[in-house]
Amino acid sequence: MRRPPSALRTSPCAAWAFLAEAEIATTASRRAVTAARAADGELAGELIMAVHMGLGARQLPQVLGQLRHRHPKLQVTLHEEPDPADLERLVRQGTLDMILVHRFPAGCTFDAHQLGEEASVAVLPKGHPLHSDGAALRLEDLASEGWIRFRRGSLLDDYLGRLLADADLSPQTVARASQISTAVRLVAQGLGVTVVPASAVPEGFEELACPLVPSLTEPVLVGVRRNPGSAEAAMLDHLHRQNWCGTSLLSRPTTD
């Protein structure tokens, strides 16, 4: 069989470089169109953002709803739960306009703005003996429980692994989920317990959450690319208006 002419052969590295350059060119064109429309007083085009799993699960829908109301021609694309390697790649390629994270990925030169601190909470089945009067729990209190963990290698599971290791605990893992909402629903069915960010507890399951002592918190950071446009400024303004601190997010409104 004849080998194809060398001019027609493309190495994997060359193909990857071509795709990366095409992505950068597309991103530059997208930003140019967005900037041009913003100069005419109209926020339009596309804003691309990466978000750690569960972070902003309650706040982001409100922010996007407000943006949609004020700027109906602005499209927001979210990369939810990217693996650390994928997030670093997206940042390195210049694809992203903003990130919402607990920690900046390696090599990220975005300008950082701290929105607050995210508190983690324990989630236990309704009627669990430890679930009384909303009393705070220690991780050690959950040592003998079966745990709902998350996908191996995910940022949240790595975080849980460090927490348990620091407390010298190795509880049994009874199930793994890729989404926080799924893990909480498994807890609600009595499969085990878990620890998740307070803002990621799905609506309707707030009563299953218990505060932890000592408090486990991580900073909530929004990163904005250098030389941002009006779309990024509008998004940042709306993010700053949200509540990012403590477990007050789990307070269910009372009805008369």
Side-chain angles (χ1 to χ4, degrees):
M1 181 181 296
R2 293 183 59 191
R3 297 180 63 187
S6 59
L8 298 180
R9 292 198 300 269
T10 302
S11 70
C13 290
W16 177 261
F18 173 79
L19 291 174
E21 289 180 3
E23 182 70 38
I24 292 172
T26 300
T27 299
S29 176
R30 169 179 62 82
R31 288 175 178 162
V33 171
T34 302
R37 290 177 175 173
D40 291 334
E42 175 188 36
L43 284 188
E46 183 182 16
L47 181 68
I48 301 180
M49 186 176 194
V51 184
H52 279 176
M53 180 172 71
L55 188 53
R58 289 176 178 249
Q59 298 93 336
L60 276 176
Q62 297 183 46
V63 167
L64 297 184
Q66 293 164 1
L67 279 176
R68 173 66 179 173
H69 179 72
R70 294 187 60 183
H71 310 290
K73 294 184 179 180
L74 178 63
Q75 174 186 334
V76 179
T77 297
L78 297 178
H79 290 276
E80 296 182 277
E81 195 195 344
D83 288 332
D86 289 335
L87 183 55
E88 290 180 19
R89 176 179 57 80
L90 291 170
V91 169
R92 186 170 58 251
Q93 289 181 351
T95 304
L96 300 174
D97 301 308
M98 303 180 74
I99 56 176
L100 184 64
V101 295
H102 290 303
R103 294 173 299 279
F104 270 29
C108 182
T109 60
F110 282 11
D111 293 327
H113 304 262
Q114 183 162 345
L115 300 175
E117 289 191 335
E118 173 82 279
S120 292
V121 293
V123 184
L124 287 72
K126 186 176 182 180
H128 192 286
L130 292 174
H131 208 327
S132 60
D133 302 327
L137 299 175
R138 300 174 304 146
L139 284 179
E140 290 80 0
D141 297 329
L142 306 174
S144 61
E145 304 288 336
W147 275 62
I148 313 295
R149 295 279 297 265
F150 298 92
R151 178 173 50 82
R152 289 183 177 87
S154 65
L155 290 170
L156 184 54
D157 200 63
D158 288 347
Y159 176 67
L160 281 184
R162 290 195 304 271
L163 289 179
L164 294 171
D166 291 344
D168 197 24
L169 300 175
S170 54
Q172 178 188 9
T173 298
V174 296
R176 288 184 181 272
S178 61
Q179 298 293 328
I180 292 175
S181 59
T182 302
V184 173
R185 286 176 169 83
L186 293 178
V187 171
Q189 293 300 315
L191 270 71
V193 303
T194 194
V195 168
V196 301
S199 68
V201 176
E203 292 185 11
F205 292 86
E206 293 92 345
E207 63 180 347
L208 304 183
C210 293
L212 288 165
V213 60
S215 179
L216 300 176
T217 62
E218 288 197 283
V220 179
L221 305 174
V222 59
V224 184
R225 67 179 176 88
R226 299 288 174 86
N227 303 313
S230 299
E232 289 90 341
M235 171 69 89
L236 182 61
D237 177 59
H238 283 285
L239 288 171
H240 272 296
R241 297 183 186 186
Q242 297 294 313
N243 174 19
W244 297 92
C245 297
T247 57
S248 61
L249 292 166
L250 297 176
S251 300
R252 303 182 68 177
T254 57
T255 57
D256 297 331

